[in-house]
Amino acid sequence: MFKTGSVRYLTGDGAATSQVEGETMNEQSVHRIQAWSDRKGQNCSREINQLADTNILRCLQCGSCSSGCPFVQAMDLPPNVLIRHLHYGFLDETLRSGTIWICVGCDTCASQCPMAIDIPAVMDALRQKSLASQQPASQPEIIRLHQAILRSIYRYGRAHKLEIMLRYKVRHKAWFEDLDLGLRMLSKRKLHLLPSKVMNVGQVQSLFSKQAHL
Amino acid sequence: MTYQHRSRLPFFPGCSLVTSASENYTSLQAICLQLGFELDEVRDWNCCGSSSAHCLDSGLAASLTERNLALMPTDGPCLVACPNCYKRLRQTFLRIQCSHEERSSFERRWGRPFPERLQLQPFLSFLAGQDLGFLYQGARTALQNLAYVPYYGCMLARPPIMNREPSHRGVMEKVLGQLGGRALPWRHSSKCCGTFLSVARPDLVTPMVQTIMDEAEQAGAECLVTACSMCHLNLEVRCPAGHGLPIFHFSELLALAAGVGNPGEWFNRHLIDPRPLLMAKGMLDRSGRVRH
C-alpha cells in the first residue's frame, strides 16, 4: 500500500491534493488514494454525526459559520475548514487543533448555518474525543478552567466564582494575573467569599461519572 | 401603582444572579412584583453546567439540566433569568420531548413524569407577553432620552433544535423606547461576549471588549444595556479601568423607570459606576436617590 503520513492537503478552499512520496503518481495511485480517503472520510463523518446528533455531510462549505464566528481570528482551523477535515477523515488534525477549545459554543454559527448543522455540538464531540485520546491538547489553560468550574459544581452544586478563579490561577501558576481586577470585584461584592449551595449536593455528585475530568 | 392581585411565578435564577449579579436579581424581582408576580425560586436548583459541562462531558451536562427540569412545576410557566441557562434547559427539554426512549429514561431516573406542559420562559419572552400599559403610564419620559446601544450577546443565536422558536430581537428597544430611552443602531448588538475565554484567554477578550466599547461610544451612546448577567460581567471586567461606558442590566432600567426597588444598592455593585451619568440626566439626585 501507500504511505498514509505523506498525504498532503490544502486548507481553506476545501480542495485536497494528494501526493505519495516514493511512489510515482499515476492515475491508478490517485484513484487508490481517493478511495481510501473517501472511506476514511465517510467513517469519520459518520462517527461525528452520531456523537453530535447532527449531519455534517450536509455542509456546503458556504463559510457562513466562519464569517459569523466572533473568535475565528484566534482559530487555527475556521469552523468550515474543520468540517471539511472531517469529511476527508483528518480527525487527528481536528483533535489537535486549538479551534475546538477556543469555540465558546455561542451558537452564532449554528443559527447562521443554512443547512442547520449543529456545529457547537460537533465541537463538543471533538473536545470529548480529544480528552479521551489522552493526546496533549493545544489549549491546556482553557481545559483547566473548565475542570475548575466542574469541580465547583461537584462540591456545591453551583458555580462558586471566587474558588474557581483561585483554583484556576493557582493551577495556571498565574498568581498575580488579574489581581487588581479580583480586588476590585471583591470590593464591589462581585465575588462572594461563601458559595451558594445546593441542599442535596449528594444527588448532584451522583450525576458525575467515575472518570469525571476533575 | 401596583396590582392588587399577585400570583406566584416559578423562577430559575442561575448561578450568576444569586452571586455576582445579585443587582440583576433584585431589580428583576422589583419589576416582576410591579407586574403582579412574586418570584418563587425553584427549590434546590443546581448549576445548569454552564459551558464547561457540555465541553467536557455531554452526559453530565444532560443530567445536570434534567435534575433542574425534574424540580420544576409540571404545568405552566417558569421564568428563566439567565439566557445561557435557558438555552441549556430548553435544548434538553426539546430533546427529551421528541424521544420516547429519553422520556421513559427521564421518568425512571427522576421518579416523576416528564413535565410536558412546562413553559420555560426567558425574561424577554415573558416581558413580550405582558401588558405593559400601566408600566408606561406616567413613565413615558422616565429615561430622559437616554441614548443607549442594546447588547444581546449570543442570546438570540440558537442551536438548530430551537430554530422554530420566536426571536426576541427588539424587545429591549421597544420597551425602553416607550419609557423614553433612545436606542442607537450599531453592529455589535449580537456579538458574543467571550464567556469563559474572559478568564482563560484575556488576551483575546480584552481587545474585543475594547472594540465593542469604542464603537458604542462612536455610535453616540451614553451607556450599554444588556439582558444577560454574563455579558454584563465580561464587558465590565475586560474594559480597561476608567475607560468605558456604564452598562445597565435591562431589569435595572425597567425598575428605575417604574420607580421601584433600591437603585442605589444595585449601582453600588457596578465596576463602572453609572450614577454620574444618571445624575447628569437628572434621574438621580445628588445623594444618589431616584428623583420622581
Side-chain angles (χ1 to χ4, degrees), chain A residues 70-71 74 101-108 110-111 116-118 124 127-128 131 139 141-143 145-147 149-150 153 157-159 161 165 168-169 177-178 181 184-185 188-190 192 196-200 203-204 207-209 213, chain B residues 15-16 18-20 23 43-47 49 51-58 60 63-64 67 87 91 109-110 154 157-160 163 191-192 194-197 199-202 204-205 208 232-233 236-238 241 268-271:
Chain A
F71 290 105
W101 298 106
I102 295 284
C103 166
V104 294
C106 69
D107 287 320
T108 307
S111 64
I117 300 170
D118 197 344
D124 282 343
R127 282 187 274 252
Q128 288 163 35
L131 281 183
Q139 298 281 332
E141 67 277 16
I142 297 179
I143 301 176
L145 176 64
H146 286 317
Q147 287 167 336
I149 294 173
L150 287 192
I153 300 175
R158 292 178 191 164
K161 288 203 176 81
M165 298 294 283
Y168 170 73
K169 296 286 182 201
E177 190 184 84
D178 288 336
L181 178 66
R184 260 167 71 215
M185 289 176 73
K188 288 286 180 183
R189 287 172 295 144
K190 287 269 167 195
H192 292 231
S196 164
K197 271 192 204 170
V198 165
M199 284 177 279
N200 193 349
Q203 192 178 38
V204 175
L207 305 176
F208 283 71
S209 59
H213 312 280
Chain B
C15 299
S16 289
V18 294
T19 55
S20 56
E23 70 278 11
R43 208 179 151 275
D44 211 29
W45 59 271
N46 58 270
C47 172
S51 305
S52 306
H54 70 84
C55 280
L56 301 193
D57 188 345
S58 300
L60 174 65
S63 327
L64 287 170
R67 182 175 182 273
K87 262 198 231 178
Q91 221 174 337
R109 186 169 195 185
W110 301 104
C154 69
R158 292 162 303 188
N163 63 11
K191 184 159 195 163
C192 166
T195 76
F196 59 81
L197 287 185
V199 180
R201 291 291 305 271
L204 294 180
V205 177
M208 201 179 78
H232 187 270
L233 187 67
E236 277 207 326
V237 157
R238 288 297 164 213
N268 202 19
R269 296 176 47 85
H270 286 225
L271 292 181

Side-chain angles (χ1 to χ4, degrees), chain A residues 36-86:
Chain A
W36 163 80
S37 164
D38 281 355
R39 218 171 28 249
K40 192 178 163 202
Q42 272 167 18
N43 290 341
C44 172
S45 304
R46 205 174 294 138
E47 187 190 352
I48 297 300
N49 282 348
Q50 217 157 38
L51 287 171
D53 194 19
T54 188
N55 185 359
I56 58 169
L57 291 171
R58 287 198 295 237
C59 177
L60 307 167
Q61 287 298 307
C62 69
S64 297
C65 48
S66 301
S67 60
C69 177
F71 290 105
V72 72
Q73 295 92 333
M75 292 176 171
D76 42 1
L77 302 176
N80 67 310
V81 177
L82 181 124
I83 301 256
R84 201 58 169 160
H85 272 65
L86 296 173

Side-chain angles (χ1 to χ4, degrees), chain B:
Chain B
M1 187 165 45
T2 39
Y3 267 44
Q4 290 304 306
H5 175 72
R6 277 185 192 151
S7 48
R8 298 185 81 81
L9 180 64
F11 174 56
F12 185 88
C15 299
S16 289
L17 258 75
V18 294
T19 55
S20 56
S22 67
E23 70 278 11
N24 191 359
Y25 196 158
T26 41
S27 54
L28 192 76
Q29 225 165 6
I31 194 69
C32 285
L33 211 55
Q34 181 76 355
L35 292 170
F37 296 96
E38 211 166 319
L39 297 183
D40 205 357
E41 228 177 83
V42 171
R43 208 179 151 275
D44 211 29
W45 59 271
N46 58 270
C47 172
C48 67
S50 182
S51 305
S52 306
H54 70 84
C55 280
L56 301 193
D57 188 345
S58 300
L60 174 65
S63 327
L64 287 170
T65 14
E66 278 179 28
R67 182 175 182 273
N68 285 324
L69 288 175
L71 293 168
M72 287 182 182
T74 45
D75 200 351
C78 178
L79 182 64
V80 183
C82 168
N84 209 12
C85 296
Y86 171 73
K87 262 198 231 178
R88 301 260 81 82
L89 289 165
R90 183 71 182 155
Q91 221 174 337
T92 309
F93 181 89
L94 289 172
R95 209 196 59 233
I96 299 176
Q97 195 183 34
C98 54
S99 151
H100 281 293
E101 270 168 51
E102 297 252 11
R103 193 184 292 231
S104 49
S105 102
F106 178 93
E107 286 168 3
R108 263 198 316 277
R109 186 169 195 185
W110 301 104
R112 55 168 288 177
F114 176 66
E116 178 95 58
R117 287 188 297 185
L118 169 71
Q119 299 155 17
L120 294 165
Q121 283 196 327
F123 182 60
L124 292 186
S125 132
F126 163 77
L127 208 65
Q130 298 297 313
D131 175 13
L132 299 175
F134 83 95
L135 174 71
Y136 299 149
Q137 271 171 19
R140 295 256 177 215
T141 54
L143 295 182
Q144 303 286 341
N145 213 16
L146 182 73
Y148 68 94
V149 283
Y151 184 78
Y152 288 93
C154 69
M155 76 174 73
L156 300 173
R158 292 162 303 188
I161 194 170
M162 285 166 65
N163 63 11
R164 280 164 196 239
E165 303 204 342
S167 165
H168 295 100
R169 189 184 294 280
V171 171
M172 286 203 281
E173 291 93 311
K174 188 178 164 207
V175 177
L176 293 178
Q178 294 280 354
L179 296 169
R182 186 159 54 92
L184 298 167
W186 74 319
R187 61 178 186 151
H188 292 301
S189 72
S190 316
K191 184 159 195 163
C192 166
C193 70
T195 76
F196 59 81
L197 287 185
S198 169
V199 180
R201 291 291 305 271
D203 56 314
L204 294 180
V205 177
T206 309
M208 201 179 78
V209 169
Q210 188 62 56
T211 318
I212 290 175
M213 281 292 176
D214 287 348
E215 295 208 11
E217 218 159 326
Q218 277 162 25
E222 295 167 299
C223 62
L224 288 87
V225 182
T226 171
C228 168
S229 49
M230 169 68 91
C231 296
H232 187 270
L233 187 67
N234 272 352
L235 291 181
E236 277 207 326
V237 157
R238 288 297 164 213
C239 93
H243 296 272
L245 298 172
I247 306 148
F248 290 101
H249 294 285
F250 182 40
S251 57
E252 284 177 336
L253 282 187
L254 290 177
L256 188 70
V260 291
N262 187 356
E265 214 169 86
W266 313 328
F267 299 146
N268 202 19
R269 296 176 47 85
H270 286 225
L271 292 181
I272 305 171
D273 195 341
R275 281 169 295 195
L277 169 68
L278 296 177
M279 285 179 204
K281 283 265 159 196
M283 287 148 79
L284 294 182
D285 61 21
R286 275 165 186 246
S287 56
R289 274 194 297 265
V290 187
R291 191 179 274 175
H292 291 292

Side-chain angles (χ1 to χ4, degrees), chain A residues 4-54:
Chain A
T4 56
S6 58
V7 176
R8 287 212 307 246
Y9 54 91
L10 292 176
T11 58
D13 60 1
T17 59
S18 316
Q19 190 188 343
V20 177
E21 278 166 21
E23 193 178 324
T24 2
M25 286 290 280
N26 56 30
E27 215 168 295
Q28 207 187 354
S29 59
V30 169
H31 282 307
R32 271 195 300 173
I33 293 169
Q34 199 92 50
W36 163 80
S37 164
D38 281 355
R39 218 171 28 249
K40 192 178 163 202
Q42 272 167 18
N43 290 341
C44 172
S45 304
R46 205 174 294 138
E47 187 190 352
I48 297 300
N49 282 348
Q50 217 157 38
L51 287 171
D53 194 19
T54 188

